[in-house]
Amino acid sequence: MKKDIAYVATEMLPELPAPVNTHGPIAWMRANLFSTTRDSVLTILFTVVVLLALYKLLPWLLIDSVFLADSLRNCREIDTGGCFAVVVSRFNQLIFGFYPPQLYWRPILTFVLMFVAFAPLLHDNLPRKMLWFTAVYPLLAYWMLWGGAIWGPLLILAMVAGVYFVYQYASKTLSAGLSLLAALAFVVVWLLFIQTNLSDAITSTIGFVGLEPIESDKFGGFLITFVIGVTGIVASLPIGIVLALGRGSDMPTVKMICVGFIEFIRGVPLITLLFVASTLLNYFLPPGTNFDLILRVIIMVTLFAAAYMAEVIRGGLAALPRGQYEAADALGLNYWQGTQLIVLPQALKISIPGIVNTFIGLFKDTTLVSIIGLLDPIGIMQPIRSTAEWNGIVWELPIFVGLVFFIFCFTMSRYSMYFERKLDTGHRN
Amino acid sequence: MKIKLLTLALGAAAVATVGTSASAATLDDVKAKGFMQCGVSTGVPGFAFTDDNGDWQGFDPALCRAVAAAIFGDANAVKFTPTTGKTRFTALASGEVDMLARNTTETFSRDVDLKFTFAPVNYYDGQGFMVRKSLGVTSALNLSGATICIQTGTTTELNLADYFNTNNMTYEPVPIETNAEAQEKYLANACDVYTTDASGLAATRGSFEKPDEHMLLPEIISKEPLAPLSRHGDDQWADIIKWVRNVLVIAEEKGVTAANADEISKSSKDKEVLRMLGTLDDFGSKLGLPKSWGMDAIKAGGNYAEIFNRYIGPDTPIALARGLNALPGDGGLLYAAPLR
């Protein structure tokens, strides 16, 4: 080392933390909460309001609340706060309704398998073969929840295979439209004449193989919410896509049917459709038909959501630049290829916030079924409140139900944001 | 309200034009199904609620069970369909349920316009008032100027207006939607008075932390006869409901209970009792029922008094007195035509 340099530091000085007022909570508060006089005043004001609310609410909600008691009277003897013992005591009814307790594993397993079925749709790094399970899942879920002989669902699978072969065979000689009609005719004939008879015939020859049948009036609580909500969500998306494409079609009949359907459904409140499902349909169906109420409601809710979904997706289609459609044509792709490979992937990506919005709305709209006497979480509060033990309970049940709804809706909303970020290719229009 | 009118109108229209979709012989349908379908409310304290096991209990389901027992000899051969105030009549008219036992007031328009047949009244209700004792009021006639919690869109709202108008009094309505909301409002002093059916008031009062601080005023300002009902046009079925209800009342008159019915059927010398319990004559077959129909109905849940006391009587939190629902001998209106 040279001697003429007075001092050379040979060691790196340790890093010091940045000054307190430029980072950390104090700086954050200074920048966000107290940056101006007006901000400071508002901050203090709202802090006081929040603290006051918590001061009033917390004792009732957590500190003085009772979670184990056998009646409201008992709750009041124990403490002065909220009587959440009602939620604990009737937890099973709030979740499963009147489903037989020894069979709770069926809805639970169905719920767990739902995630397995959704997984390949939501994550692209999973093996594609899992999609086969996804395709079979609706039938499996129906059979697990309602029970009955396995032959029914198996025959439906056979029908799907049959439809495929009929279409393949017909399209060799007939045009695409006529083949589609032939396939449709096959479905109608199968459902009207073959399905039940064959299923009964198999049961009588081979015997009953299946699960104990559970009737719809045993369904209640969040089980109903999920059955109606998830079916509606899953079925409304494809129907909505078809409707949106149909609305943009050049064929006048297709366009008219789609526009008519969408505008009719959107012009009518959901509650009216539910009343039609619960009461009016009974008059039109032949006497003795036992058309399940939950099934009727699912159909109505799905149609309702599909109409809204169609408009959300139409918004996505309209947002695509004209050039994308022309590019598809220029590549020599036909309508279906162009739609499938170029138009829909982009349009759906644009529509994600709107689609999830519709999903969440639909999920929460399922509580309307309490008006027509189905005992969903809202509906089942009434009979619980009417028992001698729990009469007088007001807030505890809605708070619990609201919490559960919040968890699921918030999860959906978070997931959609993650999905958007993942699919974001940076091409902002 | 509009929806309600619409459903009612549609229901009535459909019944009038198409005819009921259920066939006339309800009893045959019920026997073929192996169970009866009974429409109950979605929950009224004491009158209909679900217990820990999810079974429907209460004053109304008890009648359904008695009818089912009379038909099948099995009080559990009944399925309950919860119906709301808006769906109850269409559910019955369309054949979704075979009978309604659902806190339904018998009125002209329901009987004649909507084409239902009411069995004899099984609970006489009426609109009453509940106040705090500290208010120092002893009669509804002292209520001028009071704030009153009242459910909107109900007949109680109209009854209240009429009553105050007739007596030249004024009041300030506090509109509420549900009974639970009314309890909160009333307890929070948002209104001096809560008015609804007297049975509902009693149930509400029973749920309070300190029921003794509240009282029901003696005035009952409307008639609300609650009765089970079935569709027009099937007299046999209507007769079954009517006579099961009558049997429960006669059983109380004669002191026949679920516990002693077997013994009395052997020991009694009263011909009406013997007829009721199936020892003498075969009245069951005239209704299309087994000979033991009366015995089975009584054993399902006891006689009228037993059912009343179990669900809404003085020993329950609802603590309703028999009042109008006592036998004529005790100053009530509960009267059953003789079984002969």
Side-chain angles (χ1 to χ4, degrees):
Chain A
M1 259 186 216
K2 285 188 177 178
K3 291 278 180 180
D4 55 341
I5 296 171
Y7 173 74
V8 175
T10 54
E11 283 167 20
M12 197 70 166
L13 285 173
E15 281 178 27
L16 289 176
V20 188
N21 55 2
T22 60
H23 77 108
I26 294 180
W28 183 87
M29 274 165 59
R30 203 184 236 178
N32 293 295
L33 299 179
F34 300 99
S35 58
T36 62
T37 325
R38 195 187 57 189
D39 281 4
S40 307
V41 172
L42 283 179
T43 300
I44 291 167
L45 209 67
F46 278 104
T47 315
V48 170
V49 170
V50 168
L51 285 181
L52 210 64
L54 285 181
Y55 173 74
K56 292 271 183 198
L57 210 58
L58 272 187
W60 186 85
L61 207 57
L62 290 174
I63 302 167
D64 295 333
S65 55
V66 180
F67 288 86
L68 283 177
D70 48 22
S71 71
L72 179 58
R73 210 161 292 272
N74 191 203
C75 265
R76 284 171 177 159
E77 284 161 9
I78 297 173
D79 215 330
T80 54
C83 182
F84 288 94
V86 62
V87 176
V88 177
S89 145
R90 295 298 178 104
F91 185 77
N92 285 344
Q93 272 184 27
L94 284 165
I95 303 292
F96 299 103
F98 310 135
Y99 213 84
Q102 71 277 15
L103 298 178
Y104 280 165
W105 63 271
R106 277 162 54 178
I108 292 171
L109 188 61
T110 313
F111 184 69
V112 172
L113 286 179
M114 181 179 82
F115 291 102
V116 181
F118 277 154
L121 298 177
L122 300 176
H123 298 276
D124 52 7
N125 50 0
L126 290 167
R128 293 294 88 190
K129 278 186 183 154
M130 281 178 74
L131 282 171
W132 285 105
F133 178 73
T134 311
V136 179
Y137 177 75
L139 279 176
L140 181 70
Y142 173 80
W143 179 63
M144 294 261 290
L145 290 175
W146 273 272
I150 184 79
W151 312 125
L154 285 183
L155 283 174
I156 294 278
L157 275 184
M159 181 190 78
V160 174
V163 167
Y164 177 76
F165 286 117
V166 166
Y167 183 78
Q168 288 293 326
Y169 185 73
S171 59
K172 277 182 193 153
T173 48
L174 303 169
S175 72
L178 282 177
S179 322
L180 214 59
L181 272 182
L184 201 68
F186 177 75
V187 170
V188 172
V189 170
W190 183 283
L191 287 182
L192 281 184
F193 303 108
I194 304 179
Q195 175 75 23
T196 15
N197 294 338
L198 197 57
S199 154
D200 290 347
I202 297 179
T203 306
S204 59
T205 48
I206 302 181
F208 180 86
V209 179
L211 297 166
E212 185 187 329
I214 304 294
E215 294 192 27
S216 285
D217 59 353
K218 299 278 179 234
F219 284 56
F222 278 102
L223 183 57
I224 283 197
T225 306
F226 273 92
V227 168
I228 298 176
V230 173
T231 321
I233 283 172
V234 171
S236 67
L237 187 59
I239 301 177
I241 292 174
V242 171
L243 284 172
L245 292 175
R247 193 169 186 166
S249 164
D250 299 330
M251 291 180 273
T253 326
V254 173
K255 186 176 173 130
M256 241 152 55
I257 293 174
C258 290
V259 171
F261 176 84
I262 292 171
E263 293 307 332
F264 171 74
I265 297 276
R266 288 208 305 168
V268 178
L270 177 56
I271 191 72
T272 313
L273 292 178
L274 290 178
F275 271 114
V276 169
S278 85
T279 57
L280 212 55
L281 272 184
N282 284 337
Y283 290 113
F284 299 137
L285 296 168
T289 24
N290 195 6
F291 194 21
D292 198 272
L293 180 59
I294 293 187
L295 199 61
R296 284 182 264 162
V297 167
I298 286 179
I299 293 172
M300 285 299 180
V301 167
T302 306
L303 294 182
F304 186 79
Y308 281 84
M309 193 61 74
E311 288 300 282
V312 168
I313 291 165
R314 191 170 69 94
L317 292 172
L320 270 196
R322 186 87 215 127
Q324 295 293 326
Y325 293 88
E326 288 163 356
D329 291 342
L331 284 170
L333 302 176
N334 67 23
Y335 175 77
W336 290 112
Q337 288 171 326
T339 305
Q340 195 191 336
L341 296 172
I342 294 183
V343 176
L344 272 187
Q346 302 185 64
L348 288 181
K349 194 183 83 185
I350 299 171
S351 324
I352 287 176
I355 292 175
V356 177
N357 205 17
T358 314
F359 282 172
I360 293 177
L362 164 67
F363 190 65
K364 290 190 293 189
D365 279 352
T366 55
T367 51
L368 282 177
V369 299
S370 60
I371 311 264
I372 56 167
L374 282 182
L375 298 179
D376 82 317
I378 304 290
I380 210 164
M381 283 183 205
Q382 185 79 8
I384 292 178
R385 272 195 200 126
S386 305
T387 53
E389 298 95 61
W390 303 114
N391 186 14
I393 291 274
V394 180
W395 300 110
E396 290 83 347
L397 289 168
I399 286 175
F400 169 73
V401 171
L403 187 71
V404 176
F405 266 104
F406 177 79
I407 291 171
F408 283 101
C409 294
F410 189 67
T411 313
M412 274 196 264
S413 135
R414 286 279 117 178
Y415 190 83
S416 96
M417 286 164 86
Y418 155 81
F419 214 56
E420 264 176 78
R421 275 198 306 278
K422 201 172 95 165
L423 295 179
D424 188 9
T425 44
H427 299 297
R428 293 268 170 218
N429 293 312
Chain B
M1 200 59 202
K2 251 185 189 164
I3 292 175
K4 187 175 170 187
L5 283 178
L6 181 72
T7 12
L8 290 185
L10 285 172
V15 174
T17 53
V18 186
T20 49
S21 51
S23 65
T26 311
L27 181 62
D28 296 338
D29 290 349
V30 167
K31 278 181 175 168
K33 277 188 294 188
F35 58 87
M36 186 192 69
Q37 265 170 319
C38 193
V40 293
S41 82
T42 52
V44 174
F47 285 86
F49 55 89
T50 53
D51 63 13
D52 284 331
N53 304 322
D55 290 327
W56 283 95
Q57 301 291 350
F59 189 75
D60 287 337
L63 182 72
C64 300
R65 288 214 166 85
V67 173
I71 301 169
F72 296 105
D74 175 8
N76 291 319
V78 51
K79 279 199 180 160
F80 294 101
T81 305
T83 56
T84 66
K86 297 180 178 76
T87 61
R88 55 180 163 182
F89 294 125
T90 28
L92 179 61
S94 67
E96 202 174 321
V97 297
D98 302 309
M99 69 175 276
L100 266 187
R102 196 210 168 275
N103 287 73
T104 301
T105 306
E106 179 176 2
T107 66
F108 177 87
S109 60
R110 287 167 182 177
D111 192 4
V112 178
D113 264 3
L114 294 181
K115 301 211 181 318
F116 294 125
T117 303
F118 284 85
V121 175
N122 73 333
Y123 188 88
Y124 289 94
D125 215 336
Q127 187 176 345
F129 298 97
M130 178 166 62
V131 294
R132 272 174 213 79
K133 279 185 181 159
S134 59
L135 213 61
V137 173
T138 50
S139 157
L141 295 169
N142 304 338
L143 285 177
S144 192
T147 50
I148 301 184
C149 277
I150 175 89
Q151 265 173 292
T152 52
T154 58
T155 48
T156 50
E157 199 178 14
L158 307 173
N159 296 336
L160 180 72
D162 287 351
Y163 182 76
F164 273 70
N165 212 359
T166 319
N167 292 300
N168 284 324
M169 301 192 297
T170 58
Y171 68 100
E172 199 180 316
V174 179
I176 45 118
E177 201 57 49
T178 64
N179 189 42
E181 192 188 338
Q183 293 184 11
E184 270 308 286
K185 282 258 170 67
Y186 175 77
L187 284 177
N189 269 321
C191 48
D192 306 321
V193 186
Y194 175 35
T195 179
T196 187
D197 285 353
S199 62
L201 288 179
T204 303
R205 179 169 168 271
S207 76
F208 286 166
E209 205 165 349
K210 293 172 184 133
D212 294 338
E213 291 177 4
H214 307 268
M215 63 183 277
L216 269 54
L217 297 179
E219 284 84 357
I220 297 292
I221 64 169
S222 74
K223 290 187 289 187
E224 310 281 346
L226 310 180
L229 55 155
S230 58
R231 287 179 290 275
H232 250 194
D234 189 349
D235 291 344
Q236 186 195 19
W237 180 248
D239 283 348
I240 291 174
I241 299 172
K242 174 181 177 179
W243 283 101
V244 167
R245 178 270 185 198
N246 282 349
V247 157
L248 297 183
V249 174
I250 296 171
E252 185 191 353
E253 263 172 48
K254 306 281 183 184
V256 181
T257 64
N260 69 13
D262 275 320
E263 189 204 319
I264 286 191
S265 73
K266 292 176 196 111
S267 63
S268 175
K269 295 200 173 62
D270 185 332
K271 288 206 170 161
E272 191 173 13
V273 168
L274 294 177
R275 237 175 258 131
M276 178 169 76
L277 297 176
T279 319
L280 190 72
D281 301 343
D282 186 0
F283 275 30
S285 66
K286 292 175 187 168
L287 282 169
L289 300 179
K291 198 176 176 188
S292 63
W293 67 287
M295 170 85 94
D296 293 334
I298 294 166
K299 280 163 106 180
N303 62 33
Y304 186 92
E306 286 177 277
I307 294 174
F308 190 100
N309 290 335
R310 183 172 326 124
Y311 295 114
I312 51 181
D315 295 335
T316 65
I318 298 168
L320 285 170
R322 286 295 288 271
L324 286 178
N325 298 295
L327 297 173
D330 306 329
L333 294 175
L334 204 71
Y335 204 81
L339 196 70
R340 62 166 59 254

